[in-house]
Amino acid sequence: MPVYSMTGYASVQGQDAETGPGEDSRAGRPATRFGLEIRSVNSRFLDLNFRLPDELRQLEPELRGLLAEKLRRGKVELRIAAEALGAELPAEPSPRVLQRLAALQDTVRAWIPDAQPVGMADILRFSAATKQPASDAASWLLPVARQLIDRFQETRAAEGEKLARMVIERVADLHQLVEKAKPLVPQLVDLQRTRFLQRWNDAMSAATGDNAASGSSNASMERALLEATAYAIRIDIAEEIDRLTAHLQDIEKLVKEGGAIGKRLDFVIQELHREANTLGSKSGSLELTRISVEMKVLIEQMREQVQNIE
């Protein structure tokens, strides 16, 4: 399954064919020129916004359903513009409309003889009101919308592929840094052991000195125990190394699976940053500190890319 970016864009322009008087649902309706445009940016949730002409508002639920089938996250805006070609000329009233207006006029004048007769402007206005462009548009607009969404998905997939490739490149760089850190573990153990033994001997010398008071002796022993605890914590960076490797493998697996992986990737990267930060705090050498800093730079770059993945 592809990895989709939450950033995408697509557009479709064209016109539907003019229909003849033999088609009752769209009889005499002029051809319509239309333009559809969709764009999206990243968002924590799926946020759909529509910019539709008033006569197409009733299609919004169906358009919303089409988008919800394909998208999981992102702030999406769909714009539709449509205009009837030859709209500068008024639509020709149908015989049915003229008959209805004549019957209504006769009824009104039967009750109100002084009522003004229906004028040309009234006839054209009522004729336009009987048109139902939204229901007519559904037959051609929804297929066009599906085509637009398919193009939109293609652009999101192409952008998602680039993001996934950059994430995998950062993962490969992090694997290399982990491999560089592994040989430093024995050196760190020796360094911490030397420091600990020195501090332990100093503490024990102070505790057993001829002039050491009982209170001072207890304080020195407590200090020695604290040094032992700190040594035990600092010496164990192998656990951080193992967890870093496991998190990197999780990221590779998620990217390979594809789909809506953005939130899961974001969580794993947070854990990855936590381990890299802990590795740096336990560092007893300049080289390991440098590796930790490089790791955090790469992880931050990954986080920026993952923010755009669905």
Side-chain angles (χ1 to χ4, degrees):
M1 185 178 296
V3 173
Y4 289 105
S5 169
M6 285 188 284
T7 302
Y9 174 83
S11 64
V12 174
Q13 290 83 34
Q15 71 180 54
D16 69 320
E18 184 175 358
T19 57
E23 300 181 43
D24 294 339
S25 63
R26 299 168 66 187
R29 187 182 65 76
T32 301
R33 182 168 52 217
F34 59 83
L36 286 77
E37 180 182 75
I38 186 171
R39 64 178 72 237
S40 67
V41 294
N42 59 338
S43 176
R44 293 180 60 189
F45 309 103
L46 182 59
D47 182 10
L48 302 178
N49 299 279
F50 297 89
R51 308 287 185 183
L52 308 177
D54 291 338
E55 62 271 19
L56 299 178
R57 284 291 178 187
Q58 70 183 57
L59 297 180
E60 182 175 325
E62 294 181 77
L63 294 171
R64 186 178 295 273
L66 291 177
L67 289 171
E69 288 178 3
K70 301 289 187 179
L71 310 178
R72 295 295 176 269
R73 289 202 301 158
K75 184 175 182 179
V76 184
E77 181 178 86
L78 175 63
R79 293 176 176 265
I80 298 180
E83 64 175 342
L85 299 179
E88 65 278 1
L89 297 176
E92 180 180 350
S94 67
R96 184 180 64 85
V97 171
L98 293 174
Q99 290 173 359
R100 181 60 176 164
L101 287 174
L104 289 173
Q105 177 176 255
D106 291 341
T107 301
V108 171
R109 298 191 72 176
W111 288 89
I112 310 174
D114 295 335
Q116 294 293 324
V118 177
M120 180 64 72
D122 297 323
I123 294 173
L124 294 178
R125 185 172 68 253
F126 287 126
S127 177
T130 60
K131 302 294 183 182
Q132 296 183 357
S135 59
D136 292 343
S139 61
W140 59 266
L141 181 59
L142 293 179
V144 174
R146 292 188 181 94
Q147 178 186 356
L148 175 73
I149 294 172
D150 289 341
R151 291 186 183 181
F152 179 59
Q153 286 290 82
E154 291 174 1
T155 64
R156 293 174 68 238
E159 183 66 21
E161 183 180 357
K162 295 178 183 178
L163 294 174
R165 186 164 56 249
M166 286 187 281
V167 168
I168 292 301
E169 289 173 357
R170 302 299 184 275
V171 168
D173 293 338
L174 285 166
H175 272 304
Q176 293 180 1
L177 290 175
V178 169
E179 292 303 316
K180 288 182 180 180
K182 286 180 178 179
L184 299 178
V185 175
Q187 301 176 20
L188 179 62
V189 171
D190 292 339
L191 179 61
Q192 295 291 352
R193 181 183 292 114
T194 300
R195 291 177 178 175
F196 166 70
L197 290 175
Q198 180 62 44
R199 293 175 180 175
W200 177 271
N201 291 332
D202 292 344
M204 295 304 295
S205 297
T208 57
D210 295 337
N211 298 326
S214 177
S216 176
S217 176
N218 291 337
S220 297
M221 290 298 296
E222 184 177 352
R223 176 187 166 193
L225 291 175
L226 289 174
E227 291 290 344
T229 302
Y231 169 72
I233 294 174
R234 286 185 174 276
I235 202 173
D236 186 17
I237 67 166
E239 187 175 351
E240 279 73 23
I241 295 293
D242 291 341
R243 283 200 290 260
L244 281 167
T245 301
H247 291 327
L248 292 174
Q249 291 172 348
D250 288 341
I251 293 173
E252 290 172 326
K253 181 180 178 181
L254 286 171
V255 172
K256 184 177 180 180
E257 291 176 354
I261 60 174
K263 288 186 177 180
R264 288 182 290 171
L265 278 176
D266 189 52
F267 174 77
V268 176
I269 287 177
Q270 289 181 26
E271 296 300 310
L272 195 66
H273 186 274
R274 192 194 315 276
E275 299 304 330
N277 196 52
T278 303
L279 185 69
S281 66
K282 288 186 175 183
S283 173
S285 67
L286 183 61
E287 179 65 15
L288 193 59
T289 299
R290 184 187 65 79
I291 290 175
S292 174
V293 171
E294 291 184 11
M295 283 182 174
K296 287 188 281 188
V297 170
L298 290 172
I299 292 169
E300 189 59 32
Q301 292 174 354
M302 289 173 60
R303 190 199 304 275
E304 292 178 357
Q305 303 302 329
V306 167
Q307 296 303 314
N308 290 321
I309 294 179
E310 183 181 62

